[in-house]
Amino acid sequence: MGTFSSRARWAVTTLVVACAGLSAQPAPGVLRLDINLPAYRLAAWRDTSRVGTWAVSIGARQWKTPTGMLAAVAVEWNPWWIPPASPWARGEKVTPPGPDNPMGRVKISLGQLIFAHGTPFPESVGQAASHGCLRMRNDDAIALARLLLVASGIDTGVVHAMATDTATRRVDVVPPIVAALRYDLIEWRADTLWRYPDVYRRGGATLTQALAVLGQAGVDTTAVDRRAISQWLTRRITRPSAWVPTLSE
């Protein structure tokens, strides 16, 4: 990202303060965000209930989106775009709010200069195409911002007014909402094992990982057909691939 500006240092400091005391398991009923980068998916949860799921674009290979525990600390409606002090942004100009703004209608600060934000390029969603942020379709980014602010205790009518206004407005998310960014190439969903392309080339999914995920899901891994799953794992994929566990004879 290059040398941090005073604004950038403020953002990182805000994140450090905001994340103090936060954990991956918030108190019961508290909203939390879960982002699995290779699945290009951002989900909002309360306890075991998923209350929203949206497709995202993640950082391209040369500008990888980081993993780890961050926090949604602020929502900014109708943001200006100020080019960062990075080589890729050299020659770019400050862009006011509007249809050509790279941040779209709203941006959500996750700290470390990482934002979940709208985009004028909805066709890039579902790809590794950003400079590290999480791009979302504008309507999806607005829905997420609404959810975060209502969870902060702001009246739904007030939030609606913000979302439909054209003024630039920054609103803190209090308390900050945990956002877990992970890079899991194997997931268990709806009684099916899902595998995602290794977009950042970190070595691909392994049998050990697959068995661990199955075990956590309550599947008897001693009865799993390991030859079948190994063959599945060695196939080259360019899109999500599903495998329903089969048992060895």
Side-chain angles (χ1 to χ4, degrees):
M1 287 290 185
T3 304
F4 279 175
S5 65
S6 59
R7 182 183 183 199
R9 286 193 294 271
W10 173 86
V12 173
T13 302
T14 299
L15 173 71
V16 172
V17 173
C19 286
L22 294 180
S23 70
Q25 296 298 327
V30 174
L31 190 71
R32 61 185 172 87
L33 304 181
D34 175 80
I35 301 98
N36 191 11
L37 301 182
Y40 304 116
R41 187 188 66 241
L42 186 158
W45 293 80
R46 280 195 182 89
D47 301 327
T48 59
S49 298
R50 186 168 56 194
V51 296
T53 305
W54 302 277
V56 299
S57 174
I58 66 173
R61 196 170 294 134
Q62 61 269 46
W63 298 293
K64 297 178 180 65
T65 302
T67 57
M69 297 304 301
L70 299 179
V73 296
V75 168
E76 186 170 335
W77 299 103
N78 307 299
W80 286 68
W81 183 64
I82 301 174
S86 297
W88 67 264
R90 189 175 295 118
E92 297 287 348
K93 297 180 179 179
V94 173
T95 306
D100 297 326
N101 189 290
M103 291 287 174
R105 280 274 287 108
V106 65
K107 71 177 183 180
I108 298 160
S109 176
L110 301 177
Q112 290 190 17
L113 297 184
I114 300 298
F115 300 93
H117 62 80
T119 179
F121 309 109
E123 67 279 0
S124 70
V125 173
Q127 302 179 47
S130 79
H131 295 93
C133 290
L134 302 173
R135 291 181 189 169
M136 305 175 70
R137 297 179 181 91
N138 277 315
D139 287 348
D140 292 346
I142 290 170
L144 175 59
R146 284 175 178 262
L147 184 66
L148 295 175
L149 295 181
V150 170
S152 295
I154 300 176
D155 180 78
T156 55
V158 173
V159 173
H160 177 73
M162 293 179 186
T164 54
D165 194 2
T166 58
T168 299
R169 183 194 307 267
R170 184 184 184 278
V171 186
D172 290 337
V173 176
V174 182
I177 292 174
V178 171
L181 282 75
R182 54 193 176 90
Y183 191 87
D184 289 347
L185 296 172
I186 295 284
E187 282 187 325
W188 177 258
R189 293 189 291 116
D191 296 328
T192 301
L193 204 60
W194 285 89
R195 176 183 164 217
Y196 305 107
D198 186 11
V199 62
Y200 289 162
R201 297 179 180 175
R202 295 185 175 178
T206 66
L207 177 61
T208 299
Q209 292 171 346
L211 292 175
V213 171
L214 288 170
Q216 292 168 2
V219 176
D220 181 4
T221 57
T222 64
V224 169
D225 187 337
R226 300 195 178 196
R227 180 178 179 181
I229 195 172
S230 294
Q231 291 176 341
W232 174 62
L233 290 170
T234 57
R235 295 180 195 141
R236 184 178 179 275
I237 60 172
T238 58
R239 62 185 62 188
S241 175
W243 185 80
V244 178
T246 56
L247 303 181
S248 303
E249 295 182 359

PDB file of all heavy atoms in Angstrom, residues 220-228 245-249:
ATOM      1  N   ASP A 220     -18.257 -39.998  10.017  1.00  0.00           N
ATOM      2  CA  ASP A 220     -17.309 -41.034  10.445  1.00  0.00           C
ATOM      3  C   ASP A 220     -16.207 -41.137   9.398  1.00  0.00           C
ATOM      4  O   ASP A 220     -16.377 -41.772   8.353  1.00  0.00           O
ATOM      5  CB  ASP A 220     -18.032 -42.373  10.608  1.00  0.00           C
ATOM      6  CG  ASP A 220     -17.095 -43.483  11.085  1.00  0.00           C
ATOM      7  OD1 ASP A 220     -15.906 -43.192  11.363  1.00  0.00           O
ATOM      8  OD2 ASP A 220     -17.553 -44.640  11.154  1.00  0.00           O
ATOM      9  N   THR A 221     -15.078 -40.510   9.671  1.00  0.00           N
ATOM     10  CA  THR A 221     -14.004 -40.467   8.676  1.00  0.00           C
ATOM     11  C   THR A 221     -13.339 -41.825   8.465  1.00  0.00           C
ATOM     12  O   THR A 221     -12.680 -42.033   7.445  1.00  0.00           O
ATOM     13  CB  THR A 221     -12.941 -39.438   9.076  1.00  0.00           C
ATOM     14  OG1 THR A 221     -12.429 -39.754  10.374  1.00  0.00           O
ATOM     15  CG2 THR A 221     -13.532 -38.038   9.087  1.00  0.00           C
ATOM     16  N   THR A 222     -13.533 -42.767   9.406  1.00  0.00           N
ATOM     17  CA  THR A 222     -12.946 -44.107   9.216  1.00  0.00           C
ATOM     18  C   THR A 222     -13.683 -44.882   8.136  1.00  0.00           C
ATOM     19  O   THR A 222     -13.151 -45.859   7.600  1.00  0.00           O
ATOM     20  CB  THR A 222     -12.962 -44.903  10.527  1.00  0.00           C
ATOM     21  OG1 THR A 222     -14.325 -45.128  10.939  1.00  0.00           O
ATOM     22  CG2 THR A 222     -12.211 -44.162  11.625  1.00  0.00           C
ATOM     23  N   ALA A 223     -14.897 -44.456   7.816  1.00  0.00           N
ATOM     24  CA  ALA A 223     -15.695 -45.163   6.808  1.00  0.00           C
ATOM     25  C   ALA A 223     -15.733 -44.433   5.462  1.00  0.00           C
ATOM     26  O   ALA A 223     -16.365 -44.899   4.522  1.00  0.00           O
ATOM     27  CB  ALA A 223     -17.124 -45.353   7.322  1.00  0.00           C
ATOM     28  N   VAL A 224     -15.036 -43.293   5.381  1.00  0.00           N
ATOM     29  CA  VAL A 224     -15.046 -42.519   4.143  1.00  0.00           C
ATOM     30  C   VAL A 224     -14.162 -43.199   3.096  1.00  0.00           C
ATOM     31  O   VAL A 224     -13.080 -43.709   3.404  1.00  0.00           O
ATOM     32  CB  VAL A 224     -14.555 -41.089   4.407  1.00  0.00           C
ATOM     33  CG1 VAL A 224     -14.298 -40.340   3.104  1.00  0.00           C
ATOM     34  CG2 VAL A 224     -15.567 -40.334   5.248  1.00  0.00           C
ATOM     35  N   ASP A 225     -14.621 -43.204   1.864  1.00  0.00           N
ATOM     36  CA  ASP A 225     -13.850 -43.775   0.752  1.00  0.00           C
ATOM     37  C   ASP A 225     -12.714 -42.806   0.423  1.00  0.00           C
ATOM     38  O   ASP A 225     -12.896 -41.840  -0.323  1.00  0.00           O
ATOM     39  CB  ASP A 225     -14.756 -43.973  -0.466  1.00  0.00           C
ATOM     40  CG  ASP A 225     -14.061 -44.711  -1.592  1.00  0.00           C
ATOM     41  OD1 ASP A 225     -12.810 -44.692  -1.633  1.00  0.00           O
ATOM     42  OD2 ASP A 225     -14.757 -45.291  -2.448  1.00  0.00           O
ATOM     43  N   ARG A 226     -11.548 -43.061   0.981  1.00  0.00           N
ATOM     44  CA  ARG A 226     -10.434 -42.127   0.851  1.00  0.00           C
ATOM     45  C   ARG A 226      -9.860 -42.107  -0.573  1.00  0.00           C
ATOM     46  O   ARG A 226      -9.338 -41.092  -1.011  1.00  0.00           O
ATOM     47  CB  ARG A 226      -9.341 -42.454   1.867  1.00  0.00           C
ATOM     48  CG  ARG A 226      -9.855 -42.359   3.304  1.00  0.00           C
ATOM     49  CD  ARG A 226      -8.765 -42.329   4.322  1.00  0.00           C
ATOM     50  NE  ARG A 226      -9.330 -42.187   5.671  1.00  0.00           N
ATOM     51  CZ  ARG A 226      -8.633 -41.829   6.727  1.00  0.00           C
ATOM     52  NH1 ARG A 226      -7.340 -41.581   6.613  1.00  0.00           N
ATOM     53  NH2 ARG A 226      -9.217 -41.723   7.902  1.00  0.00           N
ATOM     54  N   ARG A 227      -9.974 -43.215  -1.265  1.00  0.00           N
ATOM     55  CA  ARG A 227      -9.500 -43.223  -2.639  1.00  0.00           C
ATOM     56  C   ARG A 227     -10.356 -42.284  -3.501  1.00  0.00           C
ATOM     57  O   ARG A 227      -9.826 -41.495  -4.284  1.00  0.00           O
ATOM     58  CB  ARG A 227      -9.551 -44.636  -3.204  1.00  0.00           C
ATOM     59  CG  ARG A 227      -9.068 -44.729  -4.648  1.00  0.00           C
ATOM     60  CD  ARG A 227      -9.095 -46.158  -5.140  1.00  0.00           C
ATOM     61  NE  ARG A 227      -8.663 -46.234  -6.527  1.00  0.00           N
ATOM     62  CZ  ARG A 227      -8.607 -47.350  -7.231  1.00  0.00           C
ATOM     63  NH1 ARG A 227      -8.940 -48.520  -6.661  1.00  0.00           N
ATOM     64  NH2 ARG A 227      -8.203 -47.336  -8.488  1.00  0.00           N
ATOM     65  N   ALA A 228     -11.660 -42.334  -3.292  1.00  0.00           N
ATOM     66  CA  ALA A 228     -12.565 -41.480  -4.067  1.00  0.00           C
ATOM     67  C   ALA A 228     -12.328 -40.012  -3.751  1.00  0.00           C
ATOM     68  O   ALA A 228     -12.291 -39.164  -4.655  1.00  0.00           O
ATOM     69  CB  ALA A 228     -14.012 -41.864  -3.791  1.00  0.00           C
ATOM     70  N   PRO A 245     -19.979 -37.440   0.380  1.00  0.00           N
ATOM     71  CA  PRO A 245     -19.184 -38.526   0.934  1.00  0.00           C
ATOM     72  C   PRO A 245     -19.747 -39.902   0.579  1.00  0.00           C
ATOM     73  O   PRO A 245     -20.948 -40.139   0.646  1.00  0.00           O
ATOM     74  CB  PRO A 245     -19.253 -38.286   2.450  1.00  0.00           C
ATOM     75  CG  PRO A 245     -19.530 -36.821   2.569  1.00  0.00           C
ATOM     76  CD  PRO A 245     -20.400 -36.478   1.401  1.00  0.00           C
ATOM     77  N   THR A 246     -18.851 -40.774   0.156  1.00  0.00           N
ATOM     78  CA  THR A 246     -19.183 -42.184  -0.056  1.00  0.00           C
ATOM     79  C   THR A 246     -18.392 -43.005   0.927  1.00  0.00           C
ATOM     80  O   THR A 246     -17.284 -42.628   1.326  1.00  0.00           O
ATOM     81  CB  THR A 246     -18.834 -42.608  -1.496  1.00  0.00           C
ATOM     82  OG1 THR A 246     -17.439 -42.333  -1.750  1.00  0.00           O
ATOM     83  CG2 THR A 246     -19.663 -41.840  -2.506  1.00  0.00           C
ATOM     84  N   LEU A 247     -18.986 -44.127   1.334  1.00  0.00           N
ATOM     85  CA  LEU A 247     -18.347 -44.960   2.343  1.00  0.00           C
ATOM     86  C   LEU A 247     -17.619 -46.130   1.712  1.00  0.00           C
ATOM     87  O   LEU A 247     -18.058 -46.695   0.708  1.00  0.00           O
ATOM     88  CB  LEU A 247     -19.401 -45.470   3.326  1.00  0.00           C
ATOM     89  CG  LEU A 247     -20.228 -44.388   4.043  1.00  0.00           C
ATOM     90  CD1 LEU A 247     -21.213 -45.036   4.987  1.00  0.00           C
ATOM     91  CD2 LEU A 247     -19.325 -43.419   4.776  1.00  0.00           C
ATOM     92  N   SER A 248     -16.468 -46.463   2.292  1.00  0.00           N
ATOM     93  CA  SER A 248     -15.709 -47.615   1.814  1.00  0.00           C
ATOM     94  C   SER A 248     -16.453 -48.888   2.156  1.00  0.00           C
ATOM     95  O   SER A 248     -17.180 -48.982   3.160  1.00  0.00           O
ATOM     96  CB  SER A 248     -14.327 -47.649   2.462  1.00  0.00           C
ATOM     97  OG  SER A 248     -13.626 -46.458   2.202  1.00  0.00           O
ATOM     98  N   GLU A 249     -16.292 -49.920   1.321  1.00  0.00           N
ATOM     99  CA  GLU A 249     -16.929 -51.209   1.609  1.00  0.00           C
ATOM    100  C   GLU A 249     -16.079 -51.979   2.602  1.00  0.00           C
ATOM    101  O   GLU A 249     -14.876 -51.815   2.668  1.00  0.00           O
ATOM    102  CB  GLU A 249     -17.079 -51.982   0.310  1.00  0.00           C
ATOM    103  CG  GLU A 249     -18.037 -51.311  -0.681  1.00  0.00           C
ATOM    104  CD  GLU A 249     -18.189 -52.119  -1.935  1.00  0.00           C
ATOM    105  OE1 GLU A 249     -17.535 -53.182  -2.045  1.00  0.00           O
ATOM    106  OE2 GLU A 249     -18.980 -51.707  -2.813  1.00  0.00           O
TER     107      GLU A 249
END
